[in-house]
């Protein structure tokens, strides 16, 4: 299990533990990692905004503040199908696996009548799910972006030459149907675009990124915009 997926699963496990919480030792055994790794993961969840509580002592443990759960959300069949279609049609998008998990959770809590309508409408939408690249590569890039750590990639240029580069992730960008990692290339000492489908291997290093910003890339094209929730 990649760290991004483990963090998500750990957050859900802590929510389910309720007021009793769960010890680091038990969590380590469940996830097959060391206690030290679990404590680092809990620190990462806290830093990302998850309200973790900790209770010391023999009967202590960790948990998530109950009020942190999202309130119930009511969706129309059309809205639910829109989520399904958007996630299904973009399997190469960053964090697509986590988006699929979130959509499944939403579908699981729909009332039976709405779920039936969603299923009927969803059968009228087809998407091409053929993807490029590997899940392992995308997981490493996502982890490097989320934690702002240097990613070591093996990249095949359009001319056919392969290079190994250390890249500081800055943004993901989609254009002309392809996804790119844009980041500071330490080999070229400059900002570079890397087409994700041409990355044959990627691993996250322990090196933190040097603080390069989105502004260094320049203004996005007129037809582009950041992904955000508009008020």
């Amino acid at each position: 299990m990649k760290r991004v997926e483990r963090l998500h699963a750990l957050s859900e496990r802590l929510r389910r533990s309720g007021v009793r919480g769960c010890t680091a030792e038990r969590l380590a055994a469940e996830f097959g990692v060391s206690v030290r790794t679990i404590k680092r993961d809990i620190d990462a969840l806290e830093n990302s905004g998850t309200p973790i509580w900790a209770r010391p002592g023999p009967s202590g443990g960790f948990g998530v503040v109950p009020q942190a759960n999202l309130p119930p959300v009511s969706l129309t069949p059309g809205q639910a199908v829109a989520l399904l279609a958007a996630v299904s049609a973009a399997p190469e998008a960053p964090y697509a696996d986590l988006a699929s998990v979130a959509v499944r959770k939403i579908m699981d809590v729909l009332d039976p009548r709405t779920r039936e309508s969603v299923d009927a409408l969803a059968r009228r939408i087809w998407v091409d799910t053929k993807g490029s690249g590997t899940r392992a590569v995308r997981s490493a890039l996502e982890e490097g972006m989320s934690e702002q750590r240097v990613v070591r990639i093996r990249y095949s240029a359009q001319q056919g030459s392969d290079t190994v580069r250390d890249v500081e992730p800055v943004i993901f960008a989609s254009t002309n149907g392809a996804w790119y990692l844009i980041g500071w290339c330490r080999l070229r000492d400059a900002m570079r675009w890397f087409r994700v489908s041409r990355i044959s291997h990627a691993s996250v290093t322990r090196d933190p990124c040097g603080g390069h910003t989105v502004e260094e890339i320049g203004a996005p094209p007129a037809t582009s915009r950041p992904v955000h929730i508009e008020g």
Side-chain angles (χ1 to χ4, degrees), residues 4 20 80 84 86 104 133-135 160 190 220:
V4 171
R20 292 180 302 174
L84 278 173
R104 284 198 299 271
T134 66
R135 178 65 257 169

Side-chain angles (χ1 to χ4, degrees), residues 193 214-222 224:
W193 290 55
V214 175
E215 288 70 26
E216 293 179 57
I217 299 173
S224 300

Side-chain angles (χ1 to χ4, degrees), residues 12 29 57 60 62 72 121 132 135 144 151 186 191:
E12 292 303 308
F62 299 92
L121 183 55
S132 58
R135 178 65 257 169
V151 180
R186 292 186 171 181
M191 204 68 72

Side-chain angles (χ1 to χ4, degrees), residues 130-169:
K130 181 181 179 181
S132 58
T134 66
R135 178 65 257 169
V137 166
R138 295 197 301 274
S139 291
L141 299 183
E142 291 165 5
E143 182 178 342
M145 183 71 74
S146 297
E147 300 189 5
Q148 280 299 282
R149 287 196 285 154
V150 174
V151 180
R152 182 162 295 154
I153 65 172
R154 183 179 300 119
Y155 189 70
S156 299
Q158 192 169 8
Q159 297 80 6
S161 59
D162 288 1
T163 55
V164 175
R165 306 169 183 236
D166 284 356
V167 179
E168 300 179 26

Side-chain angles (χ1 to χ4, degrees), residues 20 41 61 69 76 81 90 109 112 133 152 158 178 191 205 207 222:
R20 292 180 302 174
D41 287 350
N69 290 315
T76 67
V81 171
V109 298
R152 182 162 295 154
Q158 192 169 8
M191 204 68 72
T205 72
D207 293 342

Side-chain angles (χ1 to χ4, degrees), residues 172-192:
F172 289 114
S174 174
T175 181
N176 296 323
W179 279 99
Y180 293 82
L181 169 70
I182 306 176
W184 185 262
C185 176
R186 292 186 171 181
L187 178 65
R188 304 303 185 202
D189 199 29
M191 204 68 72
R192 288 288 188 270

